[in-house]
């Protein structure tokens, strides 16, 4: 009996040791379909049977299927499931008595059922299908399988219908099926449908052999039985299509120089139109230039032929025009003209014009014959007959139809004489320069200019002489240029032995003169042929007044300053200017002093004096600096930050560099000195009215005193606060009386509840009802402002309210 007990004990100990040595069973999902899920699990020692059960995740206690497996099985399937349902699967390891030794669970979603066959497959182009199918409820995506008899196999994942399947071979038959995908995997493929891609697009090439036709060619497309070629003219609504079995097509009767878009497609034996080619742009050759005209143009002394023609505004793109002459001249242009250069006199040219674009050149225009201008007449001579008459003669020029003589006078006027002979007579005048030339003309234009004859008379005195003062010691003399003058001498009239200016320009500056003085000047014109004209009249002018000196400033008020100076002019008005950064002030007088008023605060000025007379204006005097008192801040704000401290801030004050801010009450004064626009002022008494004053100081120490509306400090906080328990769960709050005319509020803030009571003016207690004892409260007693807000600076005390008697601990 004792041995049996030891045997039972050893068996139990061995079983216990094995159970303790091995871990629990583990399970995972191997695969899932719409009806079946395959699981695998770890073996468990001592298990005789493995039981797999499945229950919807929404009803985990209601299995819908189970299956049993032997002890040597670690993978098995469970069927009779529904599609797209989340299941929880439990694997139990059972011993011979069907006792559960260990179990484990996992969950997964079943796949979707097989889908309906694809509805439609349409070719998008020769390498792409557009596939349309019925969506599957619960599907997160879809897989479209494409395969053919040549061993092609591919699966594309798409998200919705219709879907695009690309990168296929042209004119190839495929079988397509579809599978629905969810988190569990994919469904079985649907029944396949057959579809065939269309023919690829022809690779067309285009050219324009003339300005009214386009030729289109392309290599043959395999399996093609016919081709369709479309042509579209830009900026029009016309589009034409042509069918052909050839691999080329000519479009006749087109507009010259217009842009056309051309496309082609191939038809297969099944009668399907293949993928269209990309549009190819082709321009017809430009039209032949029309209305060609020729004229002579000059570029300096170089002559050329300007050839122009009409532009066709409907021509597309860049057109280049090429012009040629039988004299080995040519030019190119992208506009409606170009120049053949150089050309000489008496030449005959035969000219053609051709237009070209990317398509090629047009037919040349009809030839234009053009004769150039005649050569210039030579051997010009001048014969002066009786006084005031001159006769100009020259040699005859071959091929000239007429002559025109030009006489240019120095004052800018011009006389002409037309003649078919070789001479011309005109009137001469003294005091002028005459330039004479002759031109010969034919239908092409005038001859080049030849040497000119130059005849100069004695120069005339200049007119419009102007003498002006530009400074206290300088006079500027200007005049109109006189006819025949090449040089001007300008002198002071009473010192003829000294020439002050000797220049060809009609202007002279006499400098180094005395201010506020009179001077007489004369301008004498000269030329190399006739010398100088000494009969010109003189002109008198005063220099500008002298500059005021010795400025003295006398400040009369904060905005008025008196200015005086030393005046040393015969007759002048004086202007005093005060120039600041943001303002300018002036005063004017004929004496030696005046007052500048309305000077703004916080400003710096430079003060100077200028003298003015009929002769002009003097230089300004040396300036003297003036600084006005700084401005008072426009806005001021006083904010109490604690019971005994306030923050005073103010706006910018022009000219102020530092401030002394003070708060004054019957009990004393508190102040601060700062360069900022704010400061903190301490030692403030509660429930007190203060007067706010700011003293603003400038950089030089000038001071402005500024007083503002009074500031009242906050009401005083109550002191001596005590709490007493009253009957009916009430609590009395008491404080030392402040004799205030304001109401007082008592607030108790606890962890779970808050209480408030308000005492009317003059009272020093209030009652909190329905207090919850046994709690800790933060108690604050503070006066209320006339607006009803609580003073924020009163202290907060911590109290513990107990249930025994009326004891309250703090």
């Amino acid at each position: 009996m004792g041995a049996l007990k030891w045997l039972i004990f050893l068996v139990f100990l061995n079983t216990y040791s094995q159970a303790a040595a091995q871990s629990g069973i583990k399970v995972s999902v191997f695969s899932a379909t719409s009806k079946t899920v395959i699981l695998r699990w770890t073996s468990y020692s001592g298990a005789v049977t493995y039981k797999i059960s499945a229950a919807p995740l929404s009803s985990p206690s209601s299995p819908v299927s189970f299956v049993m497996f032997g002890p040597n099985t670690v993978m098995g399937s469970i069927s009779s499931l529904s599609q797209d349902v989340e299941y929880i699967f439990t694997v139990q390891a059972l011993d011979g008595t069907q006792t559960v030794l260990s179990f484990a669970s996992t969950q997964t979603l079943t796949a979707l059922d097989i889908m309906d066959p694809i509805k439609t497959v349409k070719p998008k182009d020769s390498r792409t299908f557009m596939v349309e199918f019925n969506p599957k409820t619960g599907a997160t995506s879809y897989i479209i399988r494409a395969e053919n008899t040549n061993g092609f196999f591919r699966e594309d994942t798409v998200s919705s219908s219709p879907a695009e399947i690309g990168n296929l071979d042209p004119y190839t038959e495929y079988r397509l099926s579809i599978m629905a995908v969810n988190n569990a995997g994919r469904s079985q493929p649907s029944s396949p449908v057959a579809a065939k891609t269309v023919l690829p697009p022809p690779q067309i090439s285009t050219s324009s052999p003339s300005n009214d036709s386009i030729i289109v060619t392309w290599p043959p497309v395999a399996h093609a039985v016919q081709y369709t070629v479309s042509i579209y003219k830009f900026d029009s609504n016309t589009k034409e299509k042509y069918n052909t079995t050839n691999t080329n097509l000519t479009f006749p009767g087109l507009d010259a120089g217009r842009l056309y878009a051309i496309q082609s497609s191939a038809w297969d034996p099944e009668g399907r139109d293949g993928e269209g080619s990309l549009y190819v742009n082709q321009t017809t050759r430009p039209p032949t230039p029309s209305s060609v005209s020729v004229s002579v143009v000059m570029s300096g002394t170089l002559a050329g032929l300007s050839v122009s023609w009409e532009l066709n505004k409907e021509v597309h793109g860049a057109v280049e025009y090429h012009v040629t002459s039988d004299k080995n001249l040519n030019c190119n242009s992208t506009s409606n003209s170009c120049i053949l250069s150089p050309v000489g006199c008496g030449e005959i040219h035969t000219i053609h014009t051709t237009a070209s674009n990317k398509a090629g050149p047009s037919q040349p225009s009809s030839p234009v014959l053009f004769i150039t201008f005649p050569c210039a007449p030579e051997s010009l001579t001048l014969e002066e007959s009786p006084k005031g008459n001159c006769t100009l003669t020259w040699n005859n020029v071959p091929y000239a139809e007429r002559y025109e003589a030009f006489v240019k006078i120095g004052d800018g006027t011009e006389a002409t004489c037309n003649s078919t002979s070789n001479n011309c007579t005109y009137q001469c005048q003294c005091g002028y320069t005459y330039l004479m030339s002759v031109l010969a003309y034919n239908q092409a234009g005038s001859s080049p200019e030849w040497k000119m004859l130059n005849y100069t008379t004695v120069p005339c005195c200049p007119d419009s002489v102007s003498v002006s003062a530009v400074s206290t010691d300088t006079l500027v003399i200007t005049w109109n240029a006189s006819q025949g003058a090449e040089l001007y001498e300008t002198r002071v009239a009473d010192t003829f032995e000294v020439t002050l200016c000797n220049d060809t320009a009609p202007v002279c500056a006499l400098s180094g003169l005395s201010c506020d003085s009179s001077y007489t000047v004369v301008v004498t014109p000269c030329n190399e042929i006739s010398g100088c004209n000494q009969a010109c009249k003189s002109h008198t002018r005063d220099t500008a007044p002298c500059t005021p000196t010795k400025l003295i400033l006398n400040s009369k008020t904060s905005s008025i300053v008196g200015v005086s100076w030393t005046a040393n002019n015969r007759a002048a008005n004086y202007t005093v200017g005060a120039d600041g950064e943001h303002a300018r002030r002036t005063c004017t007088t004929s004496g030696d002093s005046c007052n500048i008023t309305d000077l703004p605060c916080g400003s710096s000025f430079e003060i100077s004096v200028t003298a003015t007379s009929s002769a002009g204006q003097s230089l300004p005097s040396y300036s003297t600096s003036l600084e006005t008192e700084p401005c008072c801040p426009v806005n001021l704000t006083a904010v109490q930050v604690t019971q005994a401290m306030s923050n005073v801030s103010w706006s910018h004050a022009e000219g102020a560099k530092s401030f002394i801010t003070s708060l004054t009450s019957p009990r004393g004064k508190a102040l601060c000195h700062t360069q900022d626009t704010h400061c903190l002022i301490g030692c403030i008494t509660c429930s007190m009215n203060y007067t706010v004053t700011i003293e603003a100081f400038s950089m030089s120490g000038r001071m402005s005193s500024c007083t503002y509306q009074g500031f009242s400090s906050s009401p005083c906080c109550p002191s001596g606060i005590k709490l007493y328990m009253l009957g009916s769960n009430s609590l009395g709050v008491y404080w030392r009386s402040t004799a205030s005319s304001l109401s007082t509020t008592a607030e108790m803030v606890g962890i779970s509840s808050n209480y408030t009571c308000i005492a009317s003016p003059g009272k020093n207690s209030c009652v909190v009802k329905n207090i919850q004892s046994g709690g800790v409260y933060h108690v604050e007693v503070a006066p209320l402002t006339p607006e009803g807000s609580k003073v924020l600076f009163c202290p907060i005390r911590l109290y513990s309210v107990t249930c025994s008697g009326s004891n309250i601990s703090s």
Side-chain angles (χ1 to χ4, degrees):
M1 184 65 180
L4 180 60
K5 289 181 179 179
W6 278 107
L7 179 60
I8 294 174
F9 175 76
L10 290 173
V11 172
F12 173 77
L13 181 60
N14 184 49
T15 303
Y16 175 80
S17 299
Q18 291 179 353
Q22 64 177 328
S23 58
I25 191 171
K26 296 180 180 179
V27 63
S28 61
V29 177
F30 180 75
S31 65
T33 67
S34 61
K35 303 295 184 181
T36 302
V37 172
I38 299 176
L39 303 173
R40 56 184 175 186
W41 56 90
T42 59
S43 62
Y44 193 86
S45 178
V48 175
T49 306
Y50 294 99
K51 178 181 179 181
I52 302 176
S53 60
L57 187 60
S58 58
S59 302
S61 60
S62 302
V64 297
S65 179
F66 75 91
V67 64
M68 306 291 287
F69 293 96
N72 298 321
T73 304
V74 293
M75 178 182 291
S77 63
I78 183 168
S79 302
S80 301
L81 304 177
S82 299
Q83 62 124 5
D84 196 31
V85 174
E86 186 87 14
Y87 286 95
I88 182 168
F89 298 91
T90 303
V91 177
Q92 296 174 325
L94 307 178
D95 61 10
T97 62
Q98 298 299 297
T99 301
V100 178
L101 302 177
S102 179
F103 70 93
S105 297
T106 186
Q107 62 187 56
T108 187
L109 185 72
T110 54
L112 296 169
D113 282 341
I114 189 170
M115 291 185 64
D116 294 335
I118 293 173
K119 290 173 59 178
T120 59
V121 181
K122 295 180 180 179
K124 179 182 179 182
D125 52 45
S126 62
R127 300 179 63 86
T128 306
F129 281 138
M130 292 302 297
V131 179
E132 186 175 351
F133 53 88
N134 293 323
K136 186 75 170 179
T137 303
T140 58
S141 62
Y142 303 91
I143 296 175
I144 297 178
R145 177 180 294 171
E147 51 189 333
N148 61 21
T149 57
N150 296 328
F152 176 86
F153 180 89
R154 197 181 75 205
E155 293 181 343
D156 292 358
T157 301
V158 300
S159 60
S160 61
S161 174
E164 188 173 298
I165 306 300
N167 296 322
L168 304 175
D169 292 332
Y171 198 65
T172 302
E173 187 168 338
Y174 292 88
R175 286 178 289 109
L176 293 93
S177 57
I178 188 167
M179 293 165 279
V181 180
N182 64 2
N183 291 337
R186 62 172 71 178
S187 69
Q188 293 299 313
S190 66
S191 300
V193 296
K196 193 173 188 178
T197 51
V198 295
L199 291 175
Q203 304 300 310
I204 61 175
S205 300
T206 61
S207 62
S208 175
S210 65
N211 61 9
D212 64 348
S213 64
I214 291 176
I215 294 177
V216 185
T217 60
W218 59 90
V221 177
H223 307 291
V225 296
Q226 180 178 279
Y227 302 94
T228 296
V229 185
S230 302
I231 186 168
Y232 167 76
K233 183 171 71 173
F234 277 78
D235 300 328
S236 72
N237 295 324
T238 60
K239 183 176 182 181
E240 299 178 0
K241 290 186 177 181
Y242 298 88
N243 294 326
T244 181
T245 57
N246 299 323
T247 56
N248 61 78
L249 185 65
T250 299
F251 293 102
L254 304 179
D255 294 335
R258 297 297 297 273
L259 177 63
Y260 291 86
I262 301 168
Q263 185 191 44
S264 178
S265 62
W267 293 76
D268 59 22
E270 291 85 353
R272 299 181 304 164
D273 192 6
E275 179 183 353
S277 66
L278 296 177
Y279 277 96
V280 175
N281 293 339
Q282 176 65 51
T283 306
T284 52
R285 296 193 183 192
T288 299
S290 61
S291 303
V292 178
S293 62
V294 183
S295 62
V296 176
V297 294
M298 301 295 298
S299 177
T301 59
L302 191 65
L305 298 182
S306 175
V307 184
S308 61
W309 51 89
E310 285 189 1
L311 290 178
N312 189 330
K313 295 182 179 180
E314 295 184 353
V315 170
H316 175 81
V319 177
E320 185 174 15
Y321 298 89
H322 184 64
V323 181
T324 60
S325 166
D326 60 348
K327 300 297 183 183
N328 294 323
L329 298 177
N330 61 78
C331 63
N332 297 317
S333 173
T334 58
S335 63
N336 67 332
S337 65
C338 73
I339 296 175
L340 297 173
S341 178
V343 297
C345 56
E347 296 178 350
I348 299 177
H349 292 261
T350 301
I351 298 171
H352 293 87
T353 303
T354 304
S356 298
N357 62 6
K358 291 182 179 180
S362 69
Q363 293 295 323
S365 63
S366 300
V368 177
L369 298 180
F370 188 80
I371 301 175
T372 60
F373 48 86
C375 297
E378 300 180 4
S379 302
L380 271 67
T381 59
L382 178 66
E383 181 181 350
E384 187 175 357
S385 45
K387 187 177 181 180
N389 290 319
C390 296
T391 300
L392 180 66
T393 61
W394 57 87
N395 291 340
N396 283 321
V397 176
Y399 311 113
E401 299 175 358
R402 64 180 180 87
Y403 301 93
E404 186 172 11
F406 295 89
V407 180
K408 296 182 179 180
I409 308 173
D411 61 359
T413 60
E414 185 176 291
T416 60
C417 175
N418 289 314
S419 175
T420 57
S421 63
N422 67 334
N423 63 78
C424 183
T425 300
Y426 65 95
Q427 185 179 7
C428 300
Q429 299 181 18
C430 61
Y432 288 89
T433 296
Y434 295 89
L435 298 177
M436 293 157 284
S437 63
V438 179
L439 296 179
Y441 288 87
N442 63 12
Q443 293 183 357
S446 65
S447 65
E449 290 188 358
W450 192 244
K451 296 179 181 179
M452 303 183 72
L453 287 181
N454 188 339
Y455 179 78
T456 304
T457 62
V458 176
C460 297
C461 292
D463 57 3
S464 301
V465 177
S466 171
V467 184
S468 58
V470 295
S471 68
T472 56
D473 66 346
T474 303
L475 292 177
V476 173
I477 302 97
T478 60
W479 58 91
N480 290 337
S482 60
Q483 304 306 322
E486 299 172 349
L487 185 71
Y488 300 94
E489 296 177 352
T490 306
R491 311 180 185 189
V492 175
D494 53 357
T495 57
F496 275 96
E497 71 281 0
V498 178
T499 300
L500 300 177
C501 288
N502 191 347
D503 202 347
T504 58
V507 61
C508 175
L510 305 179
S511 57
L513 307 178
S514 299
C515 61
D516 197 37
S517 302
S518 295
Y519 289 89
T520 301
V521 297
V522 62
V523 179
T524 302
C526 305
N527 65 31
E528 293 182 357
I529 299 174
S530 57
C532 298
N533 188 344
Q534 302 293 344
C536 299
K537 65 179 181 178
S538 61
H539 301 270
T540 301
R541 174 72 183 188
D542 290 342
T543 54
C546 299
T547 301
T549 60
K550 300 179 181 179
L551 265 69
I552 299 175
L553 303 184
N554 180 20
S555 295
K556 298 186 176 182
T557 67
S558 61
S559 62
I560 300 176
V561 63
V563 185
S564 60
W565 57 90
T566 298
N568 48 8
N569 292 301
R570 291 172 293 175
N573 290 324
Y574 298 89
T575 299
V576 181
D579 293 300
E581 183 179 358
H582 304 294
R584 173 178 170 82
R585 300 289 186 269
T586 61
C587 64
T588 304
T589 181
S590 60
D592 59 359
S593 66
C594 68
N595 294 331
I596 297 179
T597 61
D598 194 26
L599 293 172
C601 61
S603 301
S604 296
F605 293 91
E606 295 294 326
I607 298 179
S608 62
V609 183
T610 304
T612 305
S613 69
S614 59
Q617 180 175 289
S618 73
L619 295 173
S621 67
Y622 295 116
S623 62
T624 301
S625 299
L626 171 69
E627 184 181 77
T628 59
E629 295 177 358
C631 298
C632 287
V634 176
N635 299 314
L636 180 138
T637 303
V639 178
Q640 191 165 353
V641 294
T642 68
Q643 188 77 32
M645 185 168 60
S646 294
N647 183 22
V648 182
S649 60
W650 52 91
S651 60
H652 171 73
E654 192 69 35
K657 300 301 180 182
S658 64
F659 305 89
I660 295 179
T661 304
S662 60
L663 299 179
T664 305
S665 73
R667 294 188 180 184
K669 178 187 291 188
L671 55 83
C672 67
H673 196 172
T674 180
Q675 289 184 320
D676 298 323
T677 56
H678 60 85
C679 68
L680 287 173
I681 300 180
C683 302
I684 302 301
T685 305
C686 60
S687 298
M688 187 64 62
N689 292 326
Y690 288 88
T691 299
V692 183
T693 303
I694 291 182
E695 293 179 344
F697 293 88
S698 69
M699 184 68 74
S700 63
R702 301 203 67 176
M703 185 268 286
S704 294
S705 181
C706 318
T707 303
Y708 298 89
Q709 185 177 359
F711 160 68
S712 297
S713 60
S714 66
C716 296
C717 294
S719 59
I721 298 170
K722 296 183 180 298
L723 276 64
Y724 296 95
M725 287 298 298
L726 305 177
S728 302
N729 293 328
S730 297
L731 182 69
V733 183
Y734 297 85
W735 55 89
R736 189 175 291 114
S737 177
T738 60
S740 173
S741 61
L742 301 174
S743 299
T744 305
T745 180
E747 294 183 355
M748 298 180 63
V749 179
I751 296 176
S752 59
S753 58
N754 302 329
Y755 303 93
T756 302
C757 65
I758 298 176
S760 57
K763 300 294 184 180
N764 66 335
S765 66
C766 65
V767 177
V768 177
K769 297 180 179 182
N770 299 321
I771 188 71
Q772 182 179 353
S773 61
V776 176
Y777 295 90
H778 290 84
V779 179
E780 180 184 10
V781 179
L784 297 176
T785 65
E787 292 79 15
S789 61
K790 182 182 68 175
V791 174
L792 301 177
F793 314 113
C794 294
I796 299 175
R797 294 174 175 83
L798 186 64
Y799 290 88
S800 174
V801 179
T802 62
C803 298
S804 60
S806 60
N807 295 329
I808 300 176
S809 59
S810 62

